[in-house]
Amino acid sequence: MNTINSLNIVLEIITIISVIAALATITSTNPIIAIIFLITLFLNIAVYLILSGLNFIGLSYLLVYIGAITVLVLFIVMMIAPDLSNTVETGTNYSKLLPSAAIIACLALSLFSIVVPSFVVDLSHFELYDLVIKSFSNIINSIWGVNSFSNSTLIGFINKNNIYDLSNLPSYLDLWVPTDELLSLTNKYNSLPSLAGSAMGNGESIIQNTTPSALLYNNLQIQSVGSSIYGSYSIILILSSFLLLIALVTPIILTRNNQESRS
Amino acid sequence: MISLLLISLILVSIVPLHKNTIFNLALSRIVSIILIFSSFLIMNIYYIDRIYSGVHIFYGYISINSINQVFQFFLLLIGALISVPGSVLQNNKLIQTSNLIFQNVHPYLNNYGLIILFNLIGACALITANDMLTLYIAIETQSFSLYLLSTLKNDSIRSATAGLKYFLIGSLASIIILLGIALLYYASGLTNFENLALYFNITDFNPYYSTLILSIGFILIGLLIKVGAAPLHQWTPDVYSLVPTAVTTWLVVLPKLSIFVLLLQIIELILLGSITIQNLLIIISILSLIIGAIGGLYQVNIKRLLAYSSINNLGFLIIALTISNKVSLEAFTFYLTQYTFTTLNIFLILIAFGYLAYLYPIKNNRMFITQTKELSNSNLNVGDQTQDINFINQLTGLFKNNPILTISFIICLFSFAGVPPLMGFFAKQQVLLASLSVGFIFLSLIAINTSVIAAFYYLKLIQVSSFINNDLSLNLQKKFFKNTDKLADTLSKGVGQGISKNFFNSNSNISHVHSYLISILTCTILLYAIKPTLLLNLTSILAFYAFSI
């Protein structure tokens, strides 16, 4: 219990770093620096995902966002060689708007702190030494898959709101009893897949392979992601394929010269 | 039904590869034929005894019920109707005039059909959505194609401005929707609409109650940004006025229709157990009514004016949505249908006016240049601007030139203003009746007063189009082209022949399909009072199903 708590502290720190990186991304005047901050942000999020047990999704996040998208954007920014004087001007515009932005941010934060329970984590009952040691050991454990945290990966989909404080875990479970009934109730619509249940059942019986790659690539995760994408989420896959298709068609249509197509 | 649409879309999206062999016109015609065919296919699979109160398909991510089916049919039919006129008009002009300029009229409409197919897939998925994931993906598909549609005329800086603005605001709305969905998942762990409704019902005391309310508020606000309701309306007049009229037609009619049908289906979920959301909706409707009425008063651009009038109409729709009993949902359905018909008709007529004015590009261009000197440094060329009616003063003397078209225009405007024998009156009456029946007296007073205020600018449009004399503009024309011999020559020719006579002859330049469409829609609006049961029965049945779900 305590180890998971200390891991949560690490996740909190990662969250804070990612928020700072996001702020730096939108406020930095130099576009290349902005993109580097964006890469930092994505890296943080990928680490967050991996630490919270979603290894496969974290890795694919790393591959797709950092490996493909941001590097592509970086290339494009380098190719078009933007005039930095304009961006400096926009930076001064930002500082003009800073007070109103601060007010809006304070309002939003207060709203969230009212609305989201356990938004602010109580740090008082953790000792620093304990925190550092346990967190690092826990990171290593979770990456190497020895710890019990790795078999809660798929349940993590549902349990994620619990991640900030575990003190109200029992009440939380009490809260979840009706929704479990609800899941069984709606099973006749096949609206929610029975995937989570099967994952819970099979999670213990997985043979713990000790090679790092095998642990990072938990087979169960890939299987479950694949089966849910091609099974119950198939219509969403089809729809998102159309979304990607229109995203593909858009630059072609926008950049094509209409003058040529007349003749 | 969606799968057929998908197959037809793939077929059509392959076709542009053979651009040189297939005429663009044929492509547009194929699109509209496909849309009509798939709309009838949807009615063909409509078995009311099977899908009494909804069937869930694809693991509950999509639900089929009567409202879905009827509105999908309606949506596809409207889409087909919009995509018809542009194509046929081009053909007609090519045959009749074989002028070089006419070929340049619609180069940007080449890809129109392709994009509207994407948009309709998004819209159909949106109105059948039964899950937050489906909702988000569908709304993104719809919005992406709309951004592309508004940037379609990529050689014009106005269109690019509009597209960029639309893209930024729309993506902001998407982010807000996504945040709402994430909060909802945080609070309940559910995304399915049915499960959420059950969850709201069975939990008496919920520690996550405020989170649920906030998340639903976020989703609602995101959707209302997408339709452009009042405090979030700033993008609508800009985008509508900057894009070409053929695109504006699509932007005004279709996305609003689909998002409102979605709201009609999830309104029970949205309003479940929270006065807060209802108050939010009431505030939004009051603001929409007031801003829509007052904002339109000082507009000189006709499309900005129509955007404000659509905001005013949104206020009525949101009132009907907020009350959410059987009478009000019936009124909502009817108002939505009426709004779609009238707006579509007005924009079709504006396109027709634009084509008529195209015969005299000099006149129009003169008007354009004198009125927007500030825009003259942007890259305007004659071929871009002459086909669109942009300013109210461009409508001067239209009654002399083409009385029948102007009369149908006037009928549409009266219907918007709510003059009794027309369709718009009955829609407003139903909404007000519903709101009075639940005791929203102040709200109904505001609605009545704002519709009176809004009647002013409709009447101003009527006055400009039919009672202001054309002579003034001709004098201005002479002054303007005094120096250039060539243009003065053209002008004197035009004046000598008598512009009105030529305009009468030019009736044939509006294609048959276009004029039939306008006349049918106008007759629907005009003659609705003679046999109202046809539409009223449909809407009451739909409201019954909506209420029984």
Side-chain angles (χ1 to χ4, degrees):
Chain A
M1 190 108 174
N2 209 0
T3 57
I4 294 178
N5 271 336
S6 56
L7 183 80
N8 287 340
I9 300 300
V10 175
L11 291 183
E12 292 279 328
I13 292 169
I14 290 172
T15 316
I16 292 167
I17 294 173
S18 61
V19 168
I20 293 169
L23 282 177
T25 307
I26 57 171
T27 52
S28 64
T29 51
N30 194 335
I32 292 175
I33 289 175
I35 288 165
I36 288 170
F37 273 118
L38 194 67
I39 291 176
T40 318
L41 171 66
F42 286 149
L43 200 65
N44 271 309
I45 294 171
V47 170
Y48 187 96
L49 285 173
I50 290 173
L51 282 189
S52 50
L54 306 167
N55 292 333
F56 175 67
I57 294 175
L59 281 179
S60 52
Y61 201 88
L62 202 72
L63 275 177
V64 172
Y65 278 94
I66 299 173
I69 293 176
T70 46
V71 172
L72 193 67
V73 173
L74 199 62
F75 279 150
I76 290 169
V77 168
M78 284 172 172
M79 268 171 68
I80 60 177
D83 187 12
L84 286 183
S85 59
N86 286 333
T87 53
V88 169
E89 280 172 21
T90 54
T92 57
N93 285 336
Y94 272 129
S95 57
K96 273 180 206 162
L97 292 174
L98 212 57
S100 58
I103 291 170
I104 291 173
C106 286
L107 280 176
L109 265 184
S110 62
L111 195 66
F112 269 85
S113 59
I114 291 167
V115 152
V116 180
S118 74
F119 180 70
V120 185
V121 178
D122 189 15
L123 285 171
S124 61
H125 53 268
F126 294 116
E127 291 175 17
L128 191 68
Y129 173 78
D130 196 38
L131 186 141
V132 172
I133 295 297
K134 287 282 178 57
S135 62
F136 275 104
S137 67
N138 200 65
I139 292 168
I140 292 164
N141 281 348
S142 68
I143 287 176
W144 289 77
V146 186
N147 200 287
S148 64
F149 199 75
S150 61
N151 63 11
S152 68
T153 49
L154 273 165
I155 312 166
F157 273 119
I158 299 168
N159 272 354
K160 223 172 171 188
N161 34 11
N162 202 15
I163 214 154
Y164 287 108
D165 85 34
L166 286 175
S167 60
N168 58 3
L169 182 63
S171 64
Y172 173 71
L173 281 179
D174 286 343
L175 178 69
W176 267 91
V177 171
T179 51
D180 283 341
E181 282 174 12
L182 196 147
L183 293 189
S184 63
L185 214 158
T186 52
N187 257 348
K188 65 179 172 187
Y189 292 118
N190 282 333
S191 59
L192 283 175
S194 57
L195 190 81
S198 69
M200 270 185 265
N202 295 335
E204 305 292 336
S205 64
I206 282 281
I207 300 162
Q208 294 285 330
N209 197 344
T210 46
T211 57
S213 62
L215 282 171
L216 214 51
Y217 257 74
N218 200 343
N219 255 341
L220 177 69
Q221 254 179 30
I222 303 171
Q223 269 177 10
S224 56
V225 167
S227 67
S228 47
I229 282 179
Y230 291 105
S232 54
Y233 287 78
S234 59
I235 185 66
I236 292 178
L237 185 72
I238 292 170
L239 282 177
S240 51
S241 74
F242 277 99
L243 181 59
L244 292 179
L245 190 60
I246 180 81
L248 192 70
V249 165
T250 304
I252 298 172
I253 290 179
L254 285 187
T255 52
R256 198 175 59 180
N257 198 353
N258 274 333
Q259 311 295 327
E260 288 173 10
S261 62
R262 278 177 201 170
S263 57
Chain B
M1 93 255 72
I2 290 177
S3 61
L4 185 108
L5 201 62
L6 303 190
I7 292 165
S8 52
L9 172 96
I10 292 162
L11 190 132
V12 172
S13 55
I14 290 169
V15 168
L17 295 177
H18 315 287
K19 202 77 188 173
N20 297 327
T21 55
I22 295 180
F23 194 41
N24 293 323
L25 170 67
L27 198 65
S28 279
R29 276 184 180 162
I30 287 172
V31 168
S32 60
I33 288 169
I34 281 173
L35 290 180
I36 290 173
F37 182 67
S38 45
S39 66
F40 280 105
L41 199 75
I42 282 170
M43 284 323 269
N44 203 22
I45 61 162
Y46 177 55
Y47 295 113
I48 198 162
D49 49 341
R50 298 273 171 84
I51 52 167
Y52 173 67
S53 63
V55 170
H56 294 237
I57 56 173
F58 293 113
Y59 296 93
Y61 287 105
I62 277 182
S63 77
I64 299 291
N65 52 36
S66 302
I67 307 168
N68 278 342
Q69 297 263 294
V70 171
F71 272 104
Q72 266 186 345
F73 173 75
F74 191 55
L75 199 77
L76 293 172
L77 204 62
I78 295 288
L81 293 187
I82 295 177
S83 63
V84 164
S87 57
V88 181
L89 260 172
Q90 196 180 5
N91 181 30
N92 231 345
K93 295 215 158 180
L94 276 174
I95 291 170
Q96 285 185 358
T97 60
S98 73
N99 193 337
L100 244 182
I101 311 166
F102 284 118
Q103 288 179 356
N104 299 342
V105 173
H106 280 307
Y108 56 89
L109 283 184
N110 290 346
N111 300 308
Y112 194 77
L114 180 63
I115 300 164
I116 65 172
L117 274 185
F118 274 115
N119 189 1
L120 280 174
I121 282 181
C124 285
L126 185 65
I127 65 177
T128 53
N130 195 34
D131 194 288
M132 287 296 172
L133 286 172
T134 326
L135 184 149
Y136 181 69
I137 295 284
I139 214 165
E140 277 301 289
T141 314
Q142 193 196 17
S143 308
F144 256 64
S145 47
L146 289 178
Y147 310 145
L148 179 54
L149 202 61
S150 52
T151 332
L152 200 53
K153 206 166 82 169
N154 56 7
D155 50 356
S156 145
I157 196 164
R158 290 155 54 88
S159 193
T161 314
L164 191 62
K165 194 171 280 180
Y166 196 17
F167 173 66
L168 289 176
I169 301 286
S171 46
L172 181 71
S174 299
I175 287 168
I176 291 174
I177 292 174
L178 204 55
L179 179 63
I181 293 172
L183 276 178
L184 194 66
Y185 187 73
Y186 171 86
S188 67
L190 298 169
T191 54
N192 201 305
F193 292 159
E194 304 265 319
N195 295 355
L196 281 169
L198 279 175
Y199 179 73
F200 284 162
N201 273 332
I202 61 177
T203 50
D204 287 336
F205 173 72
N206 197 336
Y208 290 99
Y209 181 73
S210 48
T211 317
L212 287 175
I213 300 299
L214 185 75
S215 62
I216 285 180
F218 272 142
I219 294 171
L220 194 64
I221 285 173
L223 288 174
L224 288 176
I225 292 176
K226 294 262 181 192
V227 291
L232 322 160
H233 69 286
Q234 296 293 341
W235 61 271
T236 42
D238 292 342
V239 171
Y240 291 168
S241 62
L242 289 179
V243 298
T245 312
V247 176
T248 318
T249 317
W250 192 269
L251 290 186
V252 174
V253 175
L254 262 294
K256 286 181 183 172
L257 185 62
S258 62
I259 290 178
F260 269 115
V261 174
L262 176 80
L263 280 176
L264 170 68
Q265 290 176 57
I266 65 172
I267 189 63
E268 209 166 332
L269 175 66
I270 283 173
L271 293 178
L272 249 173
S274 67
I275 296 297
T276 322
I277 300 291
Q278 198 171 13
N279 286 341
L280 179 75
L281 274 174
I282 287 174
I283 290 169
I284 285 176
S285 69
I286 288 175
L287 281 175
S288 307
L289 286 167
I290 292 173
I291 291 176
I294 294 175
L297 290 179
Y298 53 86
Q299 299 300 330
V300 289
N301 190 326
I302 186 165
K303 281 191 278 184
R304 289 185 80 90
L305 193 148
L306 287 175
Y308 277 106
S309 108
S310 81
I311 291 170
N312 190 16
N313 281 308
L314 290 190
F316 277 93
L317 280 171
I318 294 171
I319 288 176
L321 207 58
T322 315
I323 299 163
S324 180
N325 57 20
K326 187 177 173 299
V327 180
S328 83
L329 289 186
E330 189 180 331
F332 176 82
T333 320
F334 183 62
Y335 202 99
L336 198 59
T337 320
Q338 173 265 338
Y339 169 75
T340 310
F341 276 151
T342 316
T343 318
L344 178 61
N345 200 7
I346 278 189
F347 275 98
L348 285 179
I349 290 169
L350 276 185
I351 292 174
F353 280 159
Y355 281 115
L356 286 185
Y358 194 77
L359 283 183
Y360 293 94
I362 303 158
K363 172 181 174 244
N364 245 317
N365 203 26
R366 197 268 317 159
M367 286 307 227
F368 187 79
I369 290 167
T370 48
Q371 282 165 7
T372 62
K373 274 171 187 160
E374 73 274 14
L375 277 177
S376 56
N377 51 354
S378 57
N379 58 346
L380 310 165
N381 48 25
V382 179
D384 271 357
Q385 295 307 329
T386 46
Q387 53 173 337
D388 275 358
I389 296 277
N390 271 314
F391 294 95
I392 292 175
N393 286 353
Q394 280 174 310
L395 296 175
T396 46
L398 267 169
F399 188 75
K400 272 187 186 171
N401 298 330
N402 197 332
I404 297 173
L405 200 58
T406 316
I407 283 173
S408 54
F409 187 59
I410 289 170
I411 286 170
C412 286
L413 289 174
F414 272 139
S415 169
F416 259 156
V419 172
L422 303 175
M423 208 172 173
F425 165 72
F426 293 102
K428 285 188 178 178
Q429 180 216 15
Q430 276 189 344
V431 172
L432 291 175
L433 208 64
S435 76
L436 282 176
S437 69
V438 291
F440 287 168
I441 295 172
F442 181 64
L443 197 59
S444 340
L445 272 178
I446 286 179
I448 292 168
N449 282 327
T450 50
S451 68
V452 169
I453 295 170
F456 170 74
Y457 54 76
Y458 297 131
L459 288 177
K460 192 171 80 179
L461 274 186
I462 293 169
Q463 184 224 6
V464 167
S465 63
S466 49
F467 297 121
I468 287 184
N469 208 343
N470 211 6
D471 297 341
L472 182 70
S473 63
L474 284 181
N475 284 333
L476 281 175
Q477 230 168 4
K478 276 177 194 164
K479 259 185 223 166
F480 188 76
F481 294 115
K482 204 160 51 181
N483 299 326
T484 50
D485 290 344
K486 191 178 165 189
L487 291 177
D489 236 354
T490 327
L491 184 76
S492 62
K493 207 187 290 171
V495 174
Q497 298 294 323
I499 283 178
S500 57
K501 186 182 157 198
N502 277 338
F503 262 116
F504 275 123
N505 291 337
S506 71
N507 244 341
S508 56
N509 274 311
I510 300 174
S511 72
H512 297 300
V513 180
H514 197 159
S515 51
Y516 284 147
L517 208 55
I518 290 174
S519 59
I520 287 170
L521 284 173
T522 312
C523 285
T524 313
I525 293 165
L526 186 63
L527 304 178
Y528 163 76
I530 293 176
K531 192 170 171 56
T533 49
L534 198 68
L535 205 51
L536 273 185
N537 284 346
L538 182 67
T539 55
S540 65
I541 288 169
L542 283 185
F544 171 72
Y545 280 117
F547 205 60
S548 69
I549 286 169

